[in-house]
Amino acid sequence: MTNDAAAANRAGATRESAERDVPTAIGVKFGSSRTALVFDDCDAETTVCLPSCLADDDDGEFMLRSGVPATARDAERFERFVRELCERHDLPAESAVVYAMPTVDDRVGLANFGTAVGECGLGAALTRGVPESLCASIPPLGDGIEAVDEVFVAVNLGATNLEACAYRHGTRLLPFVSAEVSGDRVDRRIAEAVEAETDGRVTIDPATAREYKEVHADFGGFEPFADAVEQGSEGTHEFTVERGVMEPLDDYLDDAVAELGDFFSRLANAHMKTHQLARARPLVVSGGMACIPGLVEELESRLAAELDRPVDVVAPDDPTTAAAEGAHRLAVRLRDRNAA
């Protein structure tokens, strides 16, 4: 089935849902820096991507830096954020919602998440939390939800964590999480590298480092770039970044490959049959770091060398919204099954 045909089928299903007055299907990924939302809108699907912070927050403070609202204050701000999201996009309480959930070992944060969402009333008809890496694997593995019936390994290169796990017909096996390999850590290393490259004359904050990474990083053809900072009484200081972005990213990939090599070894020991079947399927890579040009291809090459075998890596067309898109497809299926 072509993408156009699949989209037409989903649009037709949406029209039929409206005629039957069934709940609106919504897929959501609340990220540490960006939130993605896919929902039924009359006879089409609407996709929204926006910063995970309150609209009136001048400081741009994010409440999900650890993937979930870790404190009571974060939970209160997160609840306000969800309410604003619902009001801004006229999302009905009578909806079927699938949340793409991060793999985190934080019971308090997960409880805060559930409480905040519950207080907003969204998902009154049906609510499910599904692992983010499974949701994000759905778009690149088919036009429907074929990923739920397959055996494969998923890797999420996120801002807060590196996540890896195997899926066997929708069941998650051997989930692994490392906060030592993350986009946030790369941002801090870029800031340190720029300071070192300029002999201490320039210091940048992590937000600026993240901007350098998102705008300039390119494994296929990075080009040095110039910037300027205010140095108080010394005026404006101009400088050029040559190594400060790509060297931290090289280190990041080396660390990620080492962690994934260990993961595959443990998978082979714990679930040999799943490991063998997954080797014949593409490795699905998602998460914000997968947006960097050339990173997925470089990961494929380095991981193949680490494992001493061919590795086929696939990624969603848009890693920033893939988890929400997959969650929406699951929400449609769950809603229709619930109504049957």
Side-chain angles (χ1 to χ4, degrees):
M1 183 183 294
T2 66
N3 290 336
D4 289 343
N9 286 343
R10 292 198 294 272
T14 301
R15 286 193 295 272
E16 292 174 7
S17 296
E19 292 170 0
R20 297 196 306 268
D21 194 28
V22 298
T24 298
I26 302 174
V28 187
K29 165 61 175 71
F30 292 109
S32 59
S33 59
R34 294 183 181 88
T35 287
L37 174 73
V38 178
F39 59 95
D40 299 340
D41 187 7
C42 296
D43 60 349
E45 295 173 11
T46 294
T47 301
V48 175
C49 193
L50 71 165
S52 297
C53 58
L54 294 167
D56 60 356
D57 193 338
D58 294 333
D59 296 329
E61 184 179 352
F62 297 88
M63 78 289 288
L64 297 173
R65 274 303 179 200
S66 63
V68 290
T71 67
R73 180 174 180 272
D74 286 344
E76 184 274 330
R77 288 164 51 78
F78 178 60
E79 182 180 334
R80 285 179 54 200
F81 175 74
V82 177
R83 290 187 186 279
E84 287 183 1
L85 192 68
C86 294
E87 292 173 2
R88 186 183 312 172
H89 299 288
D90 196 25
L91 301 178
E94 189 63 22
S95 53
V97 183
V98 170
Y99 298 98
M101 299 294 294
T103 302
V104 295
D105 186 17
D106 183 348
R107 292 184 179 181
V108 172
L110 291 170
N112 286 340
F113 179 93
T115 300
V117 168
E119 289 294 326
C120 296
L122 188 64
L126 180 67
T127 302
R128 293 285 188 277
V130 176
E132 176 186 345
S133 56
L134 177 58
C135 292
S137 298
I138 289 175
L141 290 183
D143 296 321
I145 56 171
E146 292 89 341
V148 175
D149 298 319
E150 298 209 14
V151 177
F152 64 96
V153 169
V155 174
N156 180 24
L157 304 177
T160 55
N161 293 312
L162 164 71
E163 302 175 14
C165 66
Y167 284 100
R168 185 172 60 202
H169 309 306
T171 298
R172 182 173 55 178
L173 302 175
L174 206 68
F176 165 78
V177 181
S178 173
E180 299 301 311
V181 185
S182 69
D184 287 346
R185 183 172 288 262
V186 170
D187 298 340
R188 294 193 294 271
R189 287 181 174 176
I190 288 175
E192 294 168 357
V194 169
E195 183 175 2
E197 188 174 358
T198 59
D199 296 323
R201 295 189 301 273
V202 173
T203 58
I204 60 174
D205 58 27
T208 301
R210 186 184 314 117
E211 181 181 347
Y212 285 178
K213 177 184 69 181
E214 293 177 348
V215 174
H216 299 285
D218 188 341
F219 280 89
F222 171 80
E223 295 184 1
F225 61 94
D227 201 357
V229 295
E230 292 293 332
Q231 298 283 64
S233 60
E234 299 179 11
T236 301
H237 178 73
E238 296 184 355
F239 60 97
T240 299
V241 178
E242 296 183 350
R243 305 180 307 278
V245 170
M246 295 309 299
E247 286 184 356
L249 281 166
D250 272 327
D251 292 340
Y252 167 84
L253 271 187
D254 285 342
D255 292 341
V257 166
E259 294 280 18
L260 291 174
D262 290 343
F263 168 79
F264 275 103
S265 294
R266 283 185 276 115
L267 180 64
N269 290 330
H271 303 281
M272 176 56 74
K273 183 62 174 180
T274 296
H275 176 262
Q276 292 174 337
L277 292 173
R279 286 183 55 164
R281 299 290 299 144
L283 172 69
V284 184
V285 173
S286 60
M289 296 294 287
C291 296
I292 296 174
L295 185 143
V296 171
E297 292 79 7
E298 187 66 19
L299 175 66
E300 180 180 79
S301 175
R302 296 190 192 188
L303 190 56
E306 174 75 13
L307 300 177
D308 194 26
R309 63 175 174 83
V311 177
D312 179 19
V313 175
V314 297
D317 291 336
D318 186 352
T320 61
T321 61
E325 169 63 22
H328 176 261
R329 294 187 196 178
L330 290 174
V332 170
R333 185 187 70 163
L334 292 171
R335 177 199 63 193
D336 292 348
R337 283 187 172 181
N338 193 59

